[in-house]
Coordinates of all heavy atoms in Angstrom, one line a residue:
P821 N -37.5 150.8 138.7 CA -37.0 150.9 137.3 C -38.2 151.1 136.3 O -39.2 150.6 136.6 CB -36.2 149.7 137.1 CG -36.7 148.7 138.1 CD -37.2 149.5 139.2
N822 N -37.9 151.8 135.3 CA -38.9 152.0 134.2 C -38.9 150.7 133.3 O -37.9 150.3 132.8 CB -38.5 153.2 133.4 CG -39.5 153.6 132.4 OD1 -40.6 153.0 132.4 ND2 -39.2 154.5 131.6
H823 N -40.1 150.2 133.2 CA -40.3 149.0 132.4 C -41.1 149.4 131.1 O -42.3 149.6 131.2 CB -41.1 147.9 133.1 CG -40.4 147.4 134.3 ND1 -39.4 146.5 134.3 CD2 -40.5 147.7 135.6 CE1 -38.9 146.2 135.5 NE2 -39.6 147.0 136.3
P824 N -40.4 149.5 130.0 CA -41.1 150.1 128.8 C -42.3 149.2 128.3 O -43.1 149.7 127.6 CB -40.0 150.2 127.8 CG -38.9 149.3 128.3 CD -39.1 149.2 129.8
S825 N -42.3 147.9 128.7 CA -43.4 147.1 128.2 C -44.7 147.3 128.9 O -45.7 146.9 128.4 CB -43.0 145.6 128.3 OG -42.7 145.2 129.6
L826 N -44.7 147.9 130.1 CA -45.9 148.2 130.8 C -46.0 149.7 131.1 O -45.0 150.3 131.4 CB -45.9 147.4 132.1 CG -46.0 145.9 132.0 CD1 -45.9 145.2 133.4 CD2 -47.2 145.4 131.2
P827 N -47.2 150.2 131.1 CA -47.4 151.7 131.3 C -47.0 152.1 132.7 O -47.3 151.4 133.6 CB -48.8 151.9 130.9 CG -49.5 150.6 131.0 CD -48.5 149.6 130.8
D828 N -46.5 153.3 132.8 CA -46.1 153.9 134.1 C -47.4 154.3 134.8 O -47.4 154.3 136.1 CB -45.2 155.1 134.0 CG -43.8 154.7 133.5 OD1 -43.4 153.5 133.8 OD2 -43.2 155.5 132.9
I829 N -48.4 154.7 134.1 CA -49.7 155.1 134.7 C -50.8 154.3 133.9 O -50.7 154.2 132.7 CB -49.9 156.6 134.5 CG1 -48.8 157.4 135.2 CG2 -51.3 157.0 134.9 CD1 -49.1 158.0 136.4
S830 N -51.8 153.9 134.6 CA -52.9 153.2 134.0 C -54.1 154.2 134.0 O -54.5 154.8 135.0 CB -53.3 151.9 134.8 OG -54.5 151.4 134.3
H831 N -54.8 154.3 132.9 CA -56.0 155.1 132.8 C -57.2 154.3 133.2 O -58.3 154.8 133.3 CB -56.1 155.7 131.4 CG -55.0 156.6 131.0 ND1 -54.8 157.8 131.7 CD2 -53.9 156.4 130.2 CE1 -53.7 158.3 131.2 NE2 -53.2 157.5 130.3
T832 N -57.0 153.0 133.4 CA -58.1 152.1 134.0 C -57.7 151.9 135.4 O -56.8 151.1 135.7 CB -58.2 150.8 133.2 OG1 -58.3 151.0 131.8 CG2 -59.3 149.9 133.7
K833 N -58.4 152.6 136.3 CA -58.0 152.6 137.7 C -58.1 151.2 138.3 O -59.1 150.5 138.1 CB -58.9 153.6 138.5 CG -59.0 154.9 137.8 CD -57.7 155.6 137.7 CE -57.9 157.0 137.2 NZ -56.9 157.5 136.3
G834 N -57.1 150.9 139.2 CA -57.2 149.6 140.0 C -57.0 148.4 139.1 O -57.4 147.3 139.5
T835 N -56.3 148.5 138.0 CA -56.2 147.4 137.1 C -54.8 146.7 137.3 O -54.0 147.1 138.1 CB -56.3 147.8 135.6 OG1 -56.5 146.7 134.8 CG2 -55.1 148.6 135.1
K836 N -54.7 145.6 136.6 CA -53.4 144.8 136.6 C -53.0 144.5 135.2 O -53.9 144.2 134.3 CB -53.6 143.4 137.3 CG -54.0 143.6 138.8 CD -55.2 142.8 139.1 CE -55.7 143.1 140.5 NZ -56.7 144.2 140.5
Y837 N -51.7 144.6 134.9 CA -51.2 144.3 133.6 C -50.2 143.2 133.7 O -49.4 143.1 134.6 CB -50.5 145.5 132.9 CG -51.5 146.6 132.4 CD1 -51.6 147.8 133.1 CD2 -52.2 146.4 131.3 CE1 -52.4 148.8 132.6 CE2 -53.1 147.3 130.8 CZ -53.2 148.5 131.5 OH -54.0 149.5 131.0
L838 N -50.2 142.3 132.7 CA -49.3 141.1 132.7 C -48.4 141.2 131.4 O -48.9 141.6 130.4 CB -50.2 139.9 132.6 CG -49.5 138.5 132.7 CD1 -48.8 138.4 134.0 CD2 -50.5 137.4 132.5
S839 N -47.2 140.9 131.6 CA -46.2 140.9 130.5 C -45.6 139.6 130.4 O -45.2 139.0 131.4 CB -45.1 142.0 130.7 OG -44.2 141.9 129.7
L840 N -45.6 139.0 129.2 CA -45.0 137.7 128.9 C -43.9 137.9 127.9 O -43.9 138.8 127.1 CB -46.1 136.8 128.3 CG -47.3 136.6 129.1 CD1 -48.3 135.7 128.4 CD2 -47.0 136.0 130.5
D841 N -42.9 137.0 127.9 CA -41.9 137.1 126.9 C -42.4 136.5 125.6 O -43.5 136.1 125.5 CB -40.6 136.4 127.4 CG -40.6 134.9 127.5 OD1 -41.6 134.3 126.9 OD2 -39.7 134.3 128.1
K842 N -41.5 136.6 124.6 CA -41.9 136.1 123.2 C -42.3 134.7 123.2 O -43.0 134.2 122.3 CB -40.8 136.4 122.2 CG -39.6 135.6 122.5 CD -38.5 136.0 121.5 CE -37.2 135.3 121.8 NZ -36.1 135.6 120.9
N843 N -41.9 133.9 124.2 CA -42.3 132.4 124.2 C -43.5 132.2 125.1 O -43.9 131.1 125.3 CB -41.1 131.6 124.8 CG -39.9 131.7 123.8 OD1 -40.1 131.6 122.6 ND2 -38.8 131.8 124.4
G844 N -44.1 133.3 125.6 CA -45.3 133.1 126.4 C -45.0 132.8 127.9 O -45.9 132.5 128.7
N845 N -43.8 133.0 128.3 CA -43.4 132.8 129.7 C -43.6 134.1 130.5 O -43.4 135.2 130.0 CB -41.9 132.3 129.8 CG -41.7 131.0 129.1 OD1 -42.4 130.1 129.3 ND2 -40.7 131.0 128.3
F846 N -43.9 133.9 131.8 CA -44.1 135.0 132.7 C -42.9 135.9 132.7 O -41.8 135.5 132.9 CB -44.5 134.5 134.1 CG -44.6 135.7 135.1 CD1 -45.8 136.4 135.1 CD2 -43.6 136.0 135.9 CE1 -45.9 137.4 136.0 CE2 -43.7 137.0 136.8 CZ -44.9 137.8 136.9
K847 N -43.2 137.2 132.6 CA -42.1 138.2 132.7 C -42.4 139.2 133.9 O -41.5 139.5 134.7 CB -42.0 139.0 131.4 CG -40.9 140.0 131.3 CD -40.8 140.6 129.9 CE -39.8 141.7 129.9 NZ -39.8 142.3 128.5
Q848 N -43.6 139.8 133.9 CA -44.0 140.8 134.9 C -45.5 140.9 135.1 O -46.2 140.8 134.1 CB -43.4 142.1 134.5 CG -43.6 143.2 135.4 CD -43.0 144.5 134.9 OE1 -43.2 144.8 133.8 NE2 -42.4 145.3 135.8
L849 N -45.9 141.2 136.3 CA -47.2 141.6 136.6 C -47.1 142.9 137.3 O -46.3 143.1 138.3 CB -47.9 140.6 137.6 CG -49.2 141.0 138.2 CD1 -50.3 141.0 137.1 CD2 -49.6 140.1 139.3
R850 N -47.9 143.9 136.9 CA -47.9 145.2 137.5 C -49.3 145.5 138.0 O -50.3 145.3 137.2 CB -47.4 146.3 136.6 CG -47.5 147.7 137.3 CD -46.8 148.8 136.5 NE -45.4 148.6 136.5 CZ -44.6 149.3 135.7 NH1 -45.0 150.1 134.8 NH2 -43.3 149.0 135.8
I851 N -49.5 145.9 139.3 CA -50.8 146.2 139.8 C -50.8 147.7 140.1 O -49.9 148.2 140.7 CB -51.0 145.3 141.1 CG1 -51.0 143.9 140.8 CG2 -52.3 145.7 141.8 CD1 -51.0 142.9 141.9
Y852 N -51.9 148.3 139.7 CA -52.1 149.7 139.9 C -53.2 150.0 141.0 O -54.1 149.2 141.2 CB -52.6 150.4 138.6 CG -51.6 150.2 137.5 CD1 -51.6 149.0 136.7 CD2 -50.7 151.2 137.1 CE1 -50.7 148.9 135.7 CE2 -49.8 151.1 136.1 CZ -49.8 149.9 135.4 OH -48.9 149.7 134.3
D853 N -53.0 151.2 141.6 CA -54.0 151.6 142.6 C -55.2 152.3 141.9 O -55.2 152.4 140.7 CB -53.4 152.4 143.7 CG -52.9 153.8 143.3 OD1 -53.2 154.2 142.1 OD2 -52.1 154.4 144.0
Y854 N -56.1 152.9 142.7 CA -57.3 153.5 142.1 C -57.0 154.9 141.6 O -57.8 155.6 141.0 CB -58.4 153.5 143.0 CG -59.0 152.1 143.0 CD1 -58.6 151.1 143.9 CD2 -59.9 151.7 142.1 CE1 -59.0 149.8 143.9 CE2 -60.4 150.4 142.0 CZ -60.0 149.5 142.9 OH -60.4 148.2 142.9
S855 N -55.7 155.4 141.8 CA -55.3 156.7 141.2 C -54.6 156.5 139.9 O -54.3 157.4 139.2 CB -54.5 157.5 142.1 OG -53.2 156.9 142.3
G856 N -54.4 155.2 139.5 CA -53.7 154.8 138.3 C -52.2 154.6 138.4 O -51.6 154.4 137.4
R857 N -51.7 154.8 139.6 CA -50.2 154.6 139.8 C -49.9 153.2 140.2 O -50.7 152.5 140.9 CB -49.7 155.5 140.9 CG -49.8 157.0 140.5 CD -49.3 157.8 141.5 NE -49.3 159.2 141.0 CZ -48.4 160.1 141.3 NH1 -47.4 159.8 142.1 NH2 -48.5 161.3 140.9
P858 N -48.7 152.7 139.8 CA -48.3 151.4 140.1 C -48.1 151.3 141.7 O -47.6 152.2 142.3 CB -47.0 151.1 139.4 CG -46.5 152.5 139.0 CD -47.7 153.4 139.0
V859 N -48.5 150.1 142.2 CA -48.2 149.9 143.7 C -47.3 148.7 143.8 O -46.6 148.6 144.9 CB -49.5 149.7 144.5 CG1 -50.3 151.0 144.6 CG2 -50.4 148.6 143.9
I860 N -47.3 147.8 142.9 CA -46.4 146.6 143.0 C -46.1 146.0 141.6 O -46.9 146.0 140.7 CB -47.1 145.5 143.9 CG1 -46.0 144.5 144.3 CG2 -48.3 144.9 143.3 CD1 -46.5 143.7 145.5
D861 N -44.9 145.6 141.5 CA -44.5 144.8 140.3 C -44.0 143.5 140.8 O -43.2 143.4 141.8 CB -43.3 145.4 139.6 CG -43.6 146.7 138.7 OD1 -44.8 146.9 138.5 OD2 -42.7 147.3 138.3
I862 N -44.4 142.4 140.1 CA -43.8 141.1 140.4 C -43.1 140.7 139.1 O -43.7 140.7 138.1 CB -44.9 140.1 140.8 CG1 -45.6 140.5 142.0 CG2 -44.3 138.7 140.9 CD1 -46.9 139.7 142.4
D863 N -41.8 140.5 139.2 CA -40.9 140.3 138.0 C -40.2 139.0 138.2 O -39.9 138.5 139.3 CB -39.8 141.4 137.9 CG -40.4 142.8 137.8 OD1 -41.5 142.9 137.3 OD2 -39.6 143.7 138.2
Y864 N -39.9 138.4 137.0 CA -39.0 137.2 137.0 C -37.8 137.6 136.2 O -37.9 137.9 135.0 CB -39.7 136.0 136.4 CG -38.8 134.8 136.4 CD1 -38.5 134.1 137.5 CD2 -38.2 134.3 135.2 CE1 -37.7 133.0 137.6 CE2 -37.3 133.3 135.2 CZ -37.1 132.6 136.4 OH -36.2 131.6 136.4
G865 N -36.6 137.5 136.8 CA -35.4 137.8 136.1 C -34.3 138.0 137.2 O -34.5 138.0 138.4
A866 N -33.1 138.1 136.7 CA -31.9 138.4 137.6 C -32.1 139.9 138.1 O -32.6 140.7 137.3 CB -30.6 138.2 136.8
H867 N -31.7 140.1 139.3 CA -31.8 141.5 139.8 C -30.5 141.7 140.7 O -30.3 140.9 141.6 CB -33.0 141.7 140.7 CG -33.3 143.1 141.0 ND1 -32.6 143.8 142.0 CD2 -34.2 144.0 140.5 CE1 -33.0 145.0 142.0 NE2 -34.0 145.2 141.2
I868 N -29.8 142.8 140.4 CA -28.6 143.1 141.2 C -28.9 143.2 142.6 O -29.9 143.9 143.0 CB -28.0 144.4 140.6 CG1 -27.5 144.2 139.2 CG2 -26.8 144.9 141.5 CD1 -27.0 145.4 138.5
G869 N -28.2 142.6 143.5 CA -28.4 142.7 144.9 C -29.3 141.6 145.5 O -29.4 141.4 146.7
L870 N -30.0 140.9 144.6 CA -30.9 139.8 145.1 C -30.3 138.4 144.6 O -30.2 137.5 145.4 CB -32.3 139.9 144.5 CG -33.2 141.0 145.1 CD1 -34.5 141.0 144.5 CD2 -33.3 140.8 146.6
S871 N -30.1 138.3 143.3 CA -29.7 137.0 142.8 C -29.0 137.2 141.4 O -29.4 138.0 140.6 CB -30.9 136.1 142.6 OG -30.6 134.9 142.0
K872 N -27.9 136.4 141.2 CA -27.3 136.4 139.9 C -28.1 135.6 138.9 O -28.0 135.8 137.7 CB -25.9 135.9 140.0 CG -25.0 136.9 140.7 CD -23.6 136.3 140.8 CE -22.7 137.3 141.6 NZ -21.3 136.8 141.7
Q873 N -28.9 134.7 139.4 CA -29.7 133.8 138.6 C -31.1 134.4 138.5 O -31.5 135.1 139.5 CB -29.8 132.4 139.2 CG -28.5 131.7 139.3 CD -27.8 131.5 138.0 OE1 -28.5 131.1 137.0 NE2 -26.5 131.7 137.9
P874 N -31.9 134.1 137.5 CA -33.2 134.6 137.5 C -34.0 134.2 138.7 O -33.9 133.1 139.1 CB -33.8 134.0 136.2 CG -32.6 133.7 135.3 CD -31.5 133.4 136.3
A875 N -34.8 135.1 139.3 CA -35.6 134.8 140.4 C -36.9 135.7 140.4 O -36.9 136.8 139.8 CB -34.8 135.2 141.7
L876 N -37.9 135.2 141.0 CA -39.1 135.9 141.1 C -38.9 137.0 142.2 O -38.5 136.6 143.4 CB -40.3 135.0 141.5 CG -41.7 135.4 141.2 CD1 -41.9 135.7 139.7 CD2 -42.6 134.3 141.6
H877 N -39.2 138.2 142.0 CA -39.0 139.3 143.0 C -40.1 140.3 142.9 O -40.8 140.4 141.9 CB -37.6 139.9 142.9 CG -37.3 140.5 141.5 ND1 -36.8 139.7 140.5 CD2 -37.3 141.7 141.1 CE1 -36.6 140.4 139.4 NE2 -36.9 141.7 139.8
V878 N -40.2 141.1 143.9 CA -41.3 142.1 144.0 C -40.7 143.5 144.2 O -39.8 143.7 145.0 CB -42.1 141.8 145.3 CG1 -43.2 142.9 145.5 CG2 -42.7 140.4 145.2
H879 N -41.2 144.4 143.4 CA -40.8 145.9 143.5 C -42.1 146.5 144.1 O -43.2 146.4 143.6 CB -40.5 146.5 142.2 CG -39.3 146.1 141.6 ND1 -38.1 146.8 141.7 CD2 -39.0 145.0 140.8 CE1 -37.1 146.2 141.0 NE2 -37.6 145.1 140.5
T880 N -41.9 147.3 145.2 CA -43.0 148.1 145.7 C -42.9 149.5 145.3 O -41.7 150.0 145.1 CB -43.0 148.0 147.3 OG1 -41.8 148.4 147.8 CG2 -43.4 146.6 147.7
W881 N -44.0 150.2 145.0 CA -44.0 151.5 144.5 C -44.7 152.4 145.6 O -45.7 152.0 146.1 CB -44.8 151.6 143.2 CG -44.1 150.9 142.1 CD1 -44.1 149.6 141.8 CD2 -43.5 151.5 141.0 NE1 -43.4 149.3 140.7 CE2 -43.1 150.5 140.1 CE3 -43.2 152.9 140.7 CZ2 -42.4 150.8 138.9 CZ3 -42.6 153.1 139.5 CH2 -42.1 152.1 138.6
K882 N -44.2 153.6 145.7 CA -44.8 154.7 146.6 C -44.7 156.0 145.8 O -43.6 156.4 145.4 CB -44.2 154.8 147.9 CG -44.4 153.5 148.7 CD -44.1 153.7 150.2 CE -44.4 152.4 150.8 NZ -44.3 152.2 152.1
G883 N -45.8 156.6 145.6 CA -45.8 157.9 145.0 C -45.3 157.9 143.5 O -44.7 158.8 143.0
G884 N -45.5 156.7 142.9 CA -45.1 156.6 141.5 C -43.6 156.3 141.3 O -43.1 156.3 140.2
R885 N -42.9 156.0 142.4 CA -41.5 155.6 142.4 C -41.2 154.3 143.0 O -41.9 153.9 144.0 CB -40.7 156.7 143.2 CG -40.7 158.0 142.5 CD -39.8 158.9 143.1 NE -39.7 160.1 142.3 CZ -38.9 161.1 142.4 NH1 -38.0 161.0 143.3 NH2 -38.9 162.1 141.6
D886 N -40.3 153.6 142.4 CA -39.9 152.3 142.9 C -39.2 152.5 144.3 O -38.3 153.2 144.4 CB -38.9 151.6 141.9 CG -38.6 150.2 142.2 OD1 -38.9 149.7 143.3 OD2 -38.0 149.5 141.3
S887 N -39.8 151.9 145.3 CA -39.3 152.1 146.7 C -38.7 150.9 147.4 O -38.3 151.0 148.6 CB -40.5 152.6 147.6 OG -41.4 151.6 147.7
G888 N -38.5 149.8 146.7 CA -37.8 148.7 147.3 C -38.0 147.4 146.5 O -38.9 147.3 145.7
V889 N -37.1 146.5 146.7 CA -37.2 145.2 146.0 C -36.9 144.1 147.0 O -36.1 144.3 147.9 CB -36.3 145.2 144.8 CG1 -34.8 145.3 145.2 CG2 -36.5 143.9 144.0
R890 N -37.5 142.9 146.9 CA -37.3 141.8 147.7 C -37.7 140.5 146.9 O -38.4 140.6 145.9 CB -38.1 141.9 149.0 CG -39.6 141.9 148.8 CD -40.4 142.1 150.1 NE -41.7 142.5 149.9 CZ -42.7 141.9 149.3 NH1 -42.5 140.6 148.9 NH2 -43.9 142.4 149.2
L891 N -37.2 139.4 147.4 CA -37.6 138.1 146.8 C -39.1 137.8 147.0 O -39.6 138.2 148.1 CB -36.7 137.0 147.3 CG -35.3 137.0 146.8 CD1 -34.5 135.9 147.5 CD2 -35.2 136.8 145.3
F892 N -39.7 137.2 146.1 CA -41.1 136.8 146.2 C -41.2 135.7 147.2 O -40.4 134.8 147.2 CB -41.5 136.3 144.8 CG -43.0 136.0 144.6 CD1 -43.9 137.0 144.3 CD2 -43.5 134.7 144.8 CE1 -45.2 136.8 144.1 CE2 -44.8 134.5 144.6 CZ -45.7 135.5 144.3
S893 N -42.2 135.8 148.1 CA -42.3 134.9 149.2 C -43.6 134.1 149.1 O -44.5 134.4 148.3 CB -42.3 135.6 150.5 OG -43.5 136.4 150.6
K894 N -43.8 133.1 150.0 CA -45.0 132.3 150.0 C -46.2 133.3 150.4 O -47.3 133.1 150.0 CB -44.9 131.2 151.0 CG -44.0 130.1 150.5 CD -43.8 129.0 151.5 CE -42.8 128.0 150.9 NZ -42.6 126.9 151.8
R895 N -45.9 134.2 151.3 CA -46.9 135.2 151.6 C -47.4 136.0 150.4 O -48.6 136.2 150.2 CB -46.4 136.2 152.7 CG -47.4 137.2 153.1 CD -46.8 138.2 154.0 NE -46.7 137.6 155.4 CZ -46.2 138.2 156.4 NH1 -45.7 139.4 156.3 NH2 -46.2 137.5 157.6
D896 N -46.5 136.4 149.5 CA -46.8 137.1 148.3 C -47.7 136.1 147.4 O -48.6 136.6 146.8 CB -45.6 137.5 147.5 CG -44.7 138.5 148.2 OD1 -45.3 139.5 148.7 OD2 -43.5 138.4 148.2
Y897 N -47.3 134.9 147.4 CA -48.1 133.9 146.6 C -49.5 133.8 147.1 O -50.5 133.8 146.3 CB -47.4 132.6 146.5 CG -48.1 131.7 145.5 CD1 -48.0 131.8 144.2 CD2 -49.0 130.7 146.0 CE1 -48.7 131.0 143.3 CE2 -49.7 129.8 145.1 CZ -49.5 130.0 143.7 OH -50.2 129.3 142.9
K898 N -49.7 133.8 148.4 CA -51.0 133.7 148.9 C -51.9 135.0 148.5 O -53.1 134.9 148.3 CB -51.0 133.6 150.5 CG -50.6 132.3 150.9 CD -50.6 132.2 152.4 CE -50.2 130.8 152.9 NZ -50.1 130.7 154.3
K899 N -51.2 136.1 148.5 CA -51.9 137.4 148.2 C -52.1 137.6 146.7 O -53.2 138.0 146.2 CB -51.1 138.5 148.7 CG -51.8 139.9 148.6 CD -51.1 140.9 149.4 CE -51.9 142.2 149.4 NZ -51.2 143.3 150.1
Y900 N -51.1 137.2 145.8 CA -51.1 137.5 144.4 C -51.2 136.3 143.5 O -51.3 136.5 142.3 CB -49.9 138.4 144.0 CG -49.8 139.6 144.8 CD1 -48.8 139.8 145.8 CD2 -50.6 140.7 144.6 CE1 -48.6 140.9 146.5 CE2 -50.5 141.8 145.4 CZ -49.5 142.0 146.3 OH -49.4 143.1 147.0
G901 N -51.2 135.1 144.1 CA -51.2 133.9 143.3 C -52.3 133.7 142.3 O -52.2 133.2 141.3
K902 N -53.5 134.3 142.7 CA -54.7 134.2 141.8 C -54.4 134.8 140.5 O -55.0 134.5 139.5 CB -55.9 134.8 142.5 CG -55.8 136.2 142.8 CD -57.0 136.7 143.6 CE -56.8 138.1 144.1 NZ -57.9 138.5 145.0
Y903 N -53.5 135.8 140.4 CA -53.2 136.4 139.1 C -52.1 135.7 138.4 O -51.8 136.0 137.2 CB -52.7 137.9 139.3 CG -53.7 138.7 140.2 CD1 -53.3 139.2 141.4 CD2 -55.0 138.9 139.8 CE1 -54.1 140.0 142.2 CE2 -55.9 139.6 140.5 CZ -55.4 140.2 141.7 OH -56.3 140.9 142.5
L904 N -51.4 134.8 139.0 CA -50.3 134.1 138.5 C -50.5 132.6 138.2 O -49.5 131.9 137.8 CB -49.1 134.3 139.4 CG -48.7 135.7 139.7 CD1 -47.7 135.8 140.9 CD2 -48.2 136.4 138.5
K905 N -51.7 132.1 138.4 CA -51.9 130.7 138.2 C -51.5 130.2 136.8 O -51.9 130.8 135.8 CB -53.4 130.4 138.5 CG -53.7 130.4 139.9 CD -54.9 129.6 140.3 CE -55.3 129.7 141.7 NZ -54.4 129.4 142.7
G906 N -50.7 129.2 136.8 CA -50.2 128.6 135.5 C -49.1 129.4 134.9 O -48.6 129.0 133.8
L907 N -48.7 130.5 135.5 CA -47.6 131.3 134.9 C -46.3 131.2 135.6 O -45.3 131.4 134.9 CB -48.1 132.8 134.9 CG -49.3 133.1 134.1 CD1 -49.7 134.6 134.4 CD2 -49.0 133.0 132.6
I908 N -46.3 130.9 136.8 CA -45.0 130.8 137.6 C -44.8 129.3 138.0 O -45.8 128.6 138.2 CB -44.9 131.8 138.7 CG1 -46.0 131.5 139.8 CG2 -45.0 133.2 138.3 CD1 -45.8 132.3 141.1
K909 N -43.6 129.0 138.3 CA -43.2 127.6 138.8 C -43.0 127.6 140.3 O -42.6 128.6 140.8 CB -42.0 127.2 138.0 CG -42.1 127.2 136.5 CD -40.8 126.9 135.9 CE -41.0 126.9 134.3 NZ -39.7 126.7 133.6
N910 N -43.4 126.5 140.9 CA -43.3 126.4 142.3 C -41.9 126.7 142.8 O -41.7 127.2 143.9 CB -43.7 125.0 142.8 CG -45.2 124.8 142.7 OD1 -45.9 125.7 142.7 ND2 -45.6 123.5 142.7
E911 N -40.8 126.3 142.1 CA -39.5 126.5 142.5 C -39.1 128.0 142.5 O -38.0 128.3 143.1 CB -38.5 125.7 141.7 CG -38.4 126.0 140.2 CD -39.3 125.1 139.4 OE1 -40.3 124.5 139.9 OE2 -39.0 125.0 138.2
W912 N -39.9 128.8 142.0 CA -39.6 130.3 142.0 C -40.0 130.9 143.3 O -39.6 132.0 143.6 CB -40.3 131.0 140.9 CG -39.9 130.7 139.5 CD1 -38.9 129.9 139.1 CD2 -40.5 131.1 138.3 NE1 -38.8 129.8 137.8 CE2 -39.7 130.6 137.2 CE3 -41.5 132.0 138.0 CZ2 -40.1 130.8 135.9 CZ3 -41.8 132.2 136.7 CH2 -41.1 131.7 135.6
I913 N -40.8 130.2 144.1 CA -41.4 130.8 145.3 C -40.5 130.4 146.5 O -40.2 129.3 146.8 CB -42.8 130.2 145.6 CG1 -43.7 130.6 144.4 CG2 -43.4 130.8 146.8 CD1 -45.0 129.9 144.4
K914 N -40.0 131.4 147.2 CA -39.1 131.2 148.3 C -39.8 131.1 149.6 O -40.8 131.7 149.9 CB -38.1 132.4 148.4 CG -37.2 132.6 147.2 CD -36.3 131.4 147.0 CE -35.5 131.5 145.7 NZ -35.1 130.4 145.1

């Protein structure tokens, strides 16, 4: 899905962008590859097909298109947790 708060393409290759809500709570992390295209989004919110309640979930991107969604796992936390320290709650991690 298109997230208007974060750019679809980054002109700073291999960067990461973080989006917080108006209260400073975690909303989304987008990681870009070295061509400037998104490769992964980590979002907090309700998502059709995953959960009616807000949940931490991951969108993977291929070729500039959203190619799948899944719940955020402990494996994801090991890989991406360094970017999320102090922003997400333990109970969000499945």
Side-chain angles (χ1 to χ4, degrees):
N822 186 8
H823 298 281
S825 62
L826 295 177
D828 291 331
I829 301 256
S830 172
H831 298 291
T832 306
K833 312 300 185 216
T835 196
K836 294 129 190 90
Y837 285 109
L838 185 65
S839 176
L840 305 176
D841 69 16
K842 63 183 179 182
N843 296 318
N845 297 312
F846 176 80
K847 184 175 174 186
Q848 181 183 40
L849 171 71
R850 180 172 287 169
I851 299 173
Y852 299 84
D853 65 15
Y854 285 92
S855 69
R857 292 184 176 214
V859 290
I860 195 163
D861 285 349
I862 299 171
D863 300 335
Y864 181 72
H867 192 285
I868 296 171
L870 288 180
S871 174
K872 292 182 182 181
Q873 300 299 319
L876 200 59
H877 57 277
V878 177
H879 290 266
T880 53
W881 292 76
K882 291 194 181 184
R885 294 190 171 190
D886 190 343
S887 66
V889 64
R890 60 182 162 71
L891 288 174
F892 188 84
S893 67
K894 289 180 182 177
R895 179 184 285 176
D896 293 315
Y897 185 74
K898 285 181 181 178
K899 188 171 184 178
Y900 303 109
K902 62 186 172 187
Y903 307 119
L904 303 169
K905 287 206 182 304
L907 295 171
I908 63 172
K909 300 176 183 175
N910 287 341
E911 62 265 23
W912 293 356
I913 303 169
K914 302 292 178 209

